[in-house]
Structures are given as C-alpha cells and as structure tokens.
Amino acid sequence: MKPFTVTSIGLAAVMAASISTAHARDQIRIVGSSTVFPFSSYVAEELGATTKWPTPVIESTGSGGGMKIFCEGNDLNTPDITNASRRMKPSEFERCQENGVTDITEAKIGSDGIAFAQSNENGPINLTREQIAMALLEKVPVDGKLVDNPYKKWSDIDSSLPDREIRLYGAPTTSGTRDAFDEMVLEAVTEEMEEYGNEAYSNIRKDGVYIDSGENDNLIVQKLKKDTEAFGYFGYSFLEENSDALIGASIDGVEPEPEAISSGEYPIARSLWFYVKNSHADDVPAMADYIDLFMSDKMISDLGYLKGIGLIVLPQAELEEWQDRVANRAKLQISDLK
C-alpha cells in the first residue's frame, strides 16, 4: 500500500477548512447606525434571553463607519451585519464587491423622523427648513450674493424667531443621520435657490455654531438638557424616550409625530435598514435566528415591541414584502440602490 500523501491542493483545502472551523463563532458582530442601535440592541437582548445564542456584540459606529468596516472583506474578523439610518450608497456597494463581499441581503425595518429638538424649558417652535439652512450653512445669500454666514441669533434670520444664539449639536459626517439631515434640509433648500446655481450645497459653517457631537445620540440629548438655549437633532426614538425633558420643533408646520413620519408628511423622515453578509451564515449560525427575530411581527409589526421604543412601522403590505425578501435572503443588486 502506498503511504498517505497530501497534494498541495488537498493541503490547501484541509487548511482552509481548519481555519474556517477555528474562526467559526457563536456570537454575532454588528456595527453601524446609532439611530438603529436601540432597536438592534433590543433584538440582541431578546435573542440572548430566549435562545441558546449569546447576546450579539453591537458597536455604534455610525452608518458610514459601519459600511466601511462591513465592506472590508469576508474574513470572520469583519462584521456580520451593519445597521444604517440611510440606504447603502452605490459607492459602498461597489467597495464591498471589490473586497469580495458579493452576497448581501438588504433589510428595511421601518421609518424614522429626524427630530430637531430643544429643552422643554422653551416654548413650542415652528421652523422652516430654509430657516434652519440659513442658520447652519457656511455661505448664505445676502442681497443676491453668497457671503460668509453673518447670522449670530435665530432672530437675525427672522424677527419672529427667538432672540437666542444659534447653536446646534449634531452628528459627524460618518453618520447616516447627518447624511439624511444634509440631504433633506440643507440640499433640499439650496437646490431650489438661484444664488446656489440651483445646485445642492451643504457646507456647514465652521465658526463653532455647529457642534459635532459624535455618533452617540444620547450624548446630544444630555447636552440639550444642560444647554437649554441650544438645538440638536437625532432620531425620533430619542425624542420619544426623553419627552419629559425635550420637545421637537415643528418643521414646515408639521409636528414630529409617528403618523406624519410614516406618511412622509413630516419633511425630515427616512427609512431604517440593516445589511447582512451572507458569506458568514454557515460559520456564525446565530445570524439566522437573529435576522428572523428582527424581521418578525413580534418586533417590527404594528403590535411589535420596537414600536414601543420609537420605531415607526412600515405599512402592512410593504412590511410583508420586506419580510419575504429577507426570509429568502434576496441578493442585493446595485440596480436596487439607484
């Protein structure tokens, strides 16, 4: 009998199998949006409490930061799932593809409004998106020309507004909430104005009026409780959880309320998502139970637990469509993002 030998091809296969087994893990790793974080955390805690799997590890890195880490590759040291408070960008999809992350499932979990909030020591206020843009943009039109923003107080923009210094706690550029705010407020206003050449403009002033407060929305909440003259913006769920201390401004005459957010009447409403790296499914078997739990009626329906902590649920037909797509692990295509 010939002695047993291993060819180079066979050895590679054995080593690959060994490495895969060595790195297989029970605990899911999740990154991404601070807005989706409370919902994802609730599902993670439920998974840990009701199944054999350990509670997933979730890092609040911001939507952009999460996408960057998620798309680094298929190695099991990379995240299994990334949360996002805006849809994946085509450029992010392409980066994933370039790094071999080619089998992604997209999950839409509900809607959210961006609350523009202040301490409830102040009275209710209605702001237009144009007033907010004029308060924050680096260049604003004065007498038909774009100049460095001269406004120091809200009343400088409109005499009907409070005689308070303009000061806003907001998200960094890695945040999906920042992306959505820029697009739905700053860019939506400027692309309709001749002074900007009818092109979107979102450069925020750098004189200390806008205070980058990191990815933690709870930090903005705490700052507003102390700095009662300031405004801040964050996901609606954080306003609902802190309604004893904060109030949201009406935007263009519409209150930040669930019905208005769900219908799209509230002008700063967006969708919430998570993205699944299907190549990890076999080596991280807990993923299937976590994903199924997140997309279940128990979590994201009109009677689901997540509605109770601020998620704006999808219309029933749309909810069922997304539940079906995720259950079948529909493969994301770049055409879906355009």
Side-chain angles (χ1 to χ4, degrees), residues 5-6 33 37 41 47 66 72 77 101 114 126 139 165 167 169 175 187 207 219 243 248 274 314 334:
T5 60
V6 180
S33 166
F37 179 84
S41 295
L47 183 80
E72 284 181 352
N77 290 322
V101 184
I114 296 178
N126 176 59
K139 300 282 187 180
E165 287 187 5
R167 189 163 57 257
Y169 296 101
S175 166
E187 294 176 9
D207 57 358
L219 181 60
S243 58
F274 68 83
L314 297 172
I334 196 166

Side-chain angles (χ1 to χ4, degrees), residues 36-285:
V36 180
F37 179 84
F39 307 126
S40 183
S41 295
Y42 191 103
V43 178
E45 293 292 338
E46 184 74 4
L47 183 80
T50 62
T51 72
K52 64 180 181 180
W53 306 116
T55 302
V57 174
I58 307 176
E59 298 176 73
S60 180
T61 63
S63 296
M67 290 291 182
K68 183 177 180 180
I69 305 168
F70 179 82
C71 290
E72 284 181 352
N74 285 309
D75 189 282
L76 286 176
N77 290 322
T78 63
D80 311 307
I81 294 169
T82 189
N83 299 322
S85 57
R86 45 84 173 164
R87 202 169 199 181
M88 178 181 278
K89 298 176 181 178
S91 60
E92 292 166 335
F93 178 87
E94 290 168 355
R95 183 173 185 274
C96 270
Q97 300 293 302
E98 291 168 359
N99 291 332
V101 184
T102 58
D103 190 359
I104 302 168
T105 292
E106 178 182 57
K108 186 176 183 179
I109 63 167
S111 302
D112 181 49
I114 296 178
F116 199 84
Q118 61 176 333
S119 166
N120 63 4
E121 292 184 17
N122 303 295
I125 187 172
N126 176 59
L127 294 168
T128 67
R129 283 179 290 173
E130 182 172 345
Q131 288 168 340
I132 295 171
M134 292 305 99
L136 298 179
L137 289 172
E138 187 174 39
K139 300 282 187 180
V140 296
V142 175
D143 297 330
K145 296 181 180 180
L146 288 181
V147 301
D148 291 340
N149 196 320
Y151 303 126
K152 303 299 183 184
K153 297 182 176 182
W154 288 96
S155 55
D156 294 339
I157 299 170
D158 188 313
S159 60
S160 67
L161 297 179
D163 185 31
R164 285 160 52 187
E165 287 187 5
I166 301 169
R167 189 163 57 257
L168 180 76
Y169 296 101
T173 55
T174 53
S175 166
T177 300
R178 170 71 176 271
D179 287 342
F181 180 82
D182 286 358
E183 178 182 347
M184 292 188 286
V185 178
L186 306 181
E187 294 176 9
V189 167
T190 54
E191 65 186 4
E192 299 295 326
M193 300 178 71
E194 292 182 3
E195 292 89 345
Y196 295 97
N198 297 111
E199 295 184 357
Y201 175 84
S202 59
N203 292 355
I204 287 182
R205 56 198 296 186
K206 302 177 179 67
D207 57 358
V209 163
Y210 185 91
I211 305 166
D212 185 330
S213 303
E215 297 289 356
N216 188 343
D217 288 353
N218 271 317
L219 181 60
I220 299 178
V221 168
Q222 298 309 314
K223 287 180 180 295
L224 293 183
K225 289 179 179 179
K226 296 178 180 178
D227 187 355
T228 59
E229 295 286 296
F231 286 92
Y233 68 82
F234 38 69
Y236 169 77
S237 64
F238 290 89
L239 177 63
E240 184 171 83
E241 290 175 2
N242 295 277
S243 58
D244 60 327
L246 304 179
I247 56 173
S250 297
I251 306 297
D252 293 338
V254 182
E255 296 276 356
E257 296 177 341
E259 295 78 9
I261 294 169
S262 179
S263 69
E265 181 185 3
Y266 183 69
I268 325 179
R270 42 52 186 291
S271 300
L272 301 180
W273 313 79
F274 68 83
Y275 292 83
V276 178
K277 189 177 293 180
N278 290 319
S279 61
H280 283 192
D282 289 341
D283 288 323
V284 190

Side-chain angles (χ1 to χ4, degrees), residues 2-27:
K2 293 182 179 180
F4 175 75
T5 60
V6 180
T7 66
S8 60
I9 294 176
L11 179 60
V14 171
M15 290 178 65
S18 175
I19 290 170
S20 176
T21 302
H23 286 81
R25 50 184 162 80
D26 289 339
Q27 194 167 42

